[in-house]
Amino acid sequence: MPPATKLRIRVDQKKCQGHNRCHQIAPSLFELDEFGNAHEIGDGRVPAAMEEKAWLAKANCPELAVDVIED
Ligand code: SF4
């Protein structure tokens, strides 16, 4: 496994409307439930190589449901 960084993602379930953009941008960070709503995979930690994609997913979520947290 690549080394973990201090970035984490979190999907706000109250805001997510299932547009699926986050999953298309970063399928290794987001998974979709049976309703098409996105969830962070595991504890949401972002591998170093995926940091740019995490910010991109946040920027592309029309509902502002993706948080990128810097621990
Ligand atoms: S892009 Fe935003 S609204 Fe769409 S599935 Fe991802 S978190 Fe949910």
Side-chain angles (χ1 to χ4, degrees), residues 10-13 15-25 30-32 36-39 57-58 60-67:
R10 203 179 64 87
V11 178
D12 186 335
Q13 293 305 307
K15 294 181 182 169
C16 178
Q17 296 294 322
H19 300 287
N20 198 0
R21 292 192 192 176
C22 54
H23 179 71
Q24 286 177 343
I25 290 169
F30 298 89
E31 59 189 357
L32 304 176
N37 289 342
H39 299 260
K58 176 184 167 78
N60 278 276
C61 176
E63 307 299 331
L64 307 178
V66 176
D67 282 331

Side-chain angles (χ1 to χ4, degrees), residues 32-43:
L32 304 176
D33 66 19
E34 64 267 40
F35 304 108
N37 289 342
H39 299 260
E40 62 275 4
I41 291 178
D43 63 4

Side-chain angles (χ1 to χ4, degrees), residues 2-3 5 7 9 22-30 45-57 68:
T5 65
L7 281 193
I9 52 160
C22 54
H23 179 71
Q24 286 177 343
I25 290 169
S28 67
L29 297 179
F30 298 89
R45 283 197 189 282
V46 179
M50 292 298 294
E51 285 187 2
E52 206 173 308
K53 295 281 191 184
W55 292 115
L56 199 60
V68 178

